[in-house]
Amino acid sequence: MSCRRQKELFMANTAVARNNIESNTETVETFNPATGELLKKFKPHSKKEAEAIIESSHQAFLKWRQTSISERTEIIRKIGQEIERSKDELAKMMSQQMGKSIKESEGEIDLCVEICKYTADNGPALLESETRPLSQGGEGEIVYQPTGVILAMQPWNFPLYQVVRYSIPNLLAGNTTVLKHAEIVWGTAQKIHEIYEKAGLPQDVFSVAYVGGKVADELISHPRVKGVTFTGSAEVGKLIAEEAGKHLKKSLLELGGSDPYIILDDADLDLAVKTCVTGRISNAGQICIGAKRFIVAENLYDEFKDRFVKAMSQVSYGDPMDRNNDMGPMSSESARNNLHKQVQESIKKGAKCLTGGELPNGKGYFYPATVLENVKPGSPAYDEELFGPVAVLFKAKDEKEALKIANDHEYGLGGGVFSKDIERAKRVAMEIETGMVNINGYALSQPNMPFGGVKNSGYGREHGGFGLREFVNIKSILKPN
């Protein structure tokens, strides 16, 4: 098959996968993945309506960019306060729409409040102009100016956080934004829009286009769109980057991950087992920076395996509103079926399933915590991202082999190292080809630390102030004597 034909088939399949609304343009139905019950129906925007939203966003930008940094900062603070006030409603909404456990929904909201506060406290200083002496004499000034409408395409797995992460720094920088959210969490998108404007954000500075992926892709070429940020799969990310590049528009991509966690021969096994289980089942394993591949020193492998498998076999799943459950359901039937297909295909290619790996009976799209070993290159569990509660174990005879296994993957988002020797752990962490590494722990995003990856995990950085300068014009003004 020719490369061109492969690409055509891939794009066609991607369009089908991404756009459950393209075949039914009148309504979009959203369902509770724990019960299958209908939650809400939405009427999507047409392409023409979406283009009008882009135009309104541009008109809002012409005014928003003139507001002072202090005024924008105050609104960002109020957005954080409104999010906190809406915590109970938001948490229930997210858990019902995509299956996240209520405890994790509440934690996601707390993180978003932190992001708003951190951005308000630290962002203005990063947008202040800088002066530098010129070599020929005189003075140069560096200014950071907003560029315009930023088009954002965000996924369902963190319905609030993904939006807050990109939008808050861009709004503070003076840009406006149009959000295309995943269809299954359009209800959350509506609520976010309401919260932002209730906090004082002017109309059309933050907007939501209720469209599918096909229309969203077509909006990239709109002359009012000045930048594109996308979180999702590497396959779709490449198409987004290609379209943005075709029109010379900057893009920021946060794509997949298959994070390696290396357990060195001097690791604290109690800590390692507990942390690795948490890192694998968080959000029912539907997290790009989840701990996914566990590379264990040969002398610890059998003990780690026994303890890890026992802990994973005891992970409970069920109603996400029940705080006693460790996991809720996966986001959709198709997501669960795809994960199970990857597991079964890997087993056919030689992998051994140590626990889990079977579809449970009953309502809801639940999948048990699963552990695989003896995974070989060429199988999905080795080459692909397992976006669900499935862990893969590897045995390594030494550090060199552990790093070889860790880096033998297309993704490079996050990772981890366990060792009682912190300097040793740091040295190993420096050799892991990812954008982020945890030492003796598992942490999600931190508002004051950059977030992003390398290789097929994308490019660009958010958090820690870095997102403030992703979509601004860094302009030099030269003032000679």
Side-chain angles (χ1 to χ4, degrees), residues 163-238:
V163 178
V164 168
R165 185 179 75 194
Y166 95 84
S167 66
I168 291 300
N170 274 295
L171 294 174
L172 183 64
N175 293 318
T176 58
T177 181
V178 174
L179 167 68
K180 182 274 174 202
H181 217 335
E183 291 89 356
I184 67 173
V185 291
W186 276 3
T188 300
Q190 273 188 333
K191 185 62 181 178
I192 295 170
H193 193 184
E194 175 189 315
I195 287 172
Y196 279 26
E197 293 195 350
K198 188 175 181 181
L201 196 68
Q203 187 176 356
D204 299 324
V205 171
F206 175 90
S207 304
V208 181
Y210 298 98
V211 296
K214 182 175 183 294
V215 173
D217 293 348
E218 293 171 349
L219 294 176
I220 294 173
S221 63
H222 194 291
R224 298 300 195 191
V225 171
K226 303 304 179 185
V228 182
T229 177
F230 170 80
T231 300
S233 72
E235 291 77 15
V236 176
K238 291 174 184 177

Side-chain angles (χ1 to χ4, degrees), residues 449-464:
M449 294 293 289
F451 182 97
V454 295
K455 300 196 284 190
N456 277 5
S457 290
Y459 50 75
R461 291 294 183 270
E462 296 171 296
H463 289 327

Side-chain angles (χ1 to χ4, degrees), residues 84-348:
E84 192 164 30
R85 275 193 282 267
S86 303
K87 184 174 181 176
D88 290 344
E89 181 183 0
L90 273 170
K92 182 179 178 182
M93 183 179 289
M94 292 191 293
S95 293
Q96 289 180 334
Q97 288 170 15
M98 56 72 58
K100 186 189 304 288
S101 78
I102 191 67
K103 295 178 292 186
E104 290 178 321
S105 289
E106 291 167 350
E108 179 175 340
I109 293 165
D110 292 341
L111 174 58
C112 291
V113 173
E114 283 187 55
I115 291 170
C116 292
K117 186 177 186 304
Y118 178 86
T119 305
D121 289 345
N122 299 278
L126 293 169
L127 295 171
E128 290 180 358
S129 61
E130 305 171 31
T131 57
R132 298 180 182 179
L134 301 177
S135 58
Q136 308 92 334
E139 186 178 75
E141 185 177 4
I142 303 169
V143 296
Y144 302 93
Q145 295 182 315
T147 52
V149 180
I150 307 303
L151 177 64
M153 301 176 220
Q154 299 299 326
W156 46 262
N157 57 334
F158 287 88
L160 177 65
Y161 163 72
Q162 301 283 12
V163 178
V164 168
R165 185 179 75 194
Y166 95 84
S167 66
I168 291 300
N170 274 295
L171 294 174
L172 183 64
N175 293 318
T176 58
T177 181
V178 174
L179 167 68
K180 182 274 174 202
H181 217 335
E183 291 89 356
I184 67 173
V185 291
W186 276 3
T188 300
Q190 273 188 333
K191 185 62 181 178
I192 295 170
H193 193 184
E194 175 189 315
I195 287 172
Y196 279 26
E197 293 195 350
K198 188 175 181 181
L201 196 68
Q203 187 176 356
D204 299 324
V205 171
F206 175 90
S207 304
V208 181
Y210 298 98
V211 296
K214 182 175 183 294
V215 173
D217 293 348
E218 293 171 349
L219 294 176
I220 294 173
S221 63
H222 194 291
R224 298 300 195 191
V225 171
K226 303 304 179 185
V228 182
T229 177
F230 170 80
T231 300
S233 72
E235 291 77 15
V236 176
K238 291 174 184 177
L239 299 178
I240 299 294
E242 180 180 0
E243 187 67 16
K246 188 188 305 181
H247 299 282
L248 294 179
K249 296 182 180 183
K250 186 175 184 180
S251 57
L252 187 154
L253 304 178
E254 195 275 280
L255 308 177
S258 188
D259 294 9
Y261 275 65
I262 297 176
I263 294 89
L264 295 174
D265 54 17
D266 64 343
D268 179 336
L269 270 187
D270 289 335
L271 176 64
V273 170
K274 181 180 179 180
T275 305
C276 291
V277 170
T278 299
R280 182 65 298 228
I281 69 169
S282 176
N283 211 33
Q286 300 168 117
I287 175 171
C288 50
I289 58 168
K292 297 185 175 109
R293 295 181 293 139
F294 303 93
I295 305 160
V296 189
E298 193 171 40
N299 68 311
L300 295 181
Y301 182 82
D302 288 339
E303 186 177 358
F304 177 88
K305 179 177 75 172
D306 290 345
R307 293 168 65 175
F308 182 73
V309 169
K310 181 179 179 181
M312 288 286 278
S313 67
Q314 294 173 346
V315 170
S316 63
Y317 57 85
D319 181 0
M321 304 305 292
D322 184 343
R323 295 178 182 275
N324 293 315
N325 288 323
D326 298 316
M327 296 192 302
M330 295 189 65
S331 63
S332 66
E333 185 176 21
S334 62
R336 184 179 68 165
N337 288 346
N338 182 64
L339 178 69
H340 188 57
K341 181 180 178 182
Q342 289 175 301
V343 169
Q344 294 304 308
E345 186 176 339
S346 297
I347 292 172
K348 288 179 182 178

Side-chain angles (χ1 to χ4, degrees), residues 72-89:
R72 292 180 218 152
T73 299
E74 185 58 27
I75 291 175
I76 296 301
R77 289 193 191 281
K78 289 180 178 178
I79 288 174
Q81 293 164 3
E82 285 297 329
I83 290 174
E84 192 164 30
R85 275 193 282 267
S86 303
K87 184 174 181 176
D88 290 344
E89 181 183 0

Side-chain angles (χ1 to χ4, degrees), residues 427-443:
R427 174 171 52 78
V428 173
M430 293 291 286
E431 297 297 320
I432 299 176
E433 296 170 354
T434 62
M436 301 167 282
V437 181
N438 289 284
I439 292 178
N440 292 331
Y442 172 75

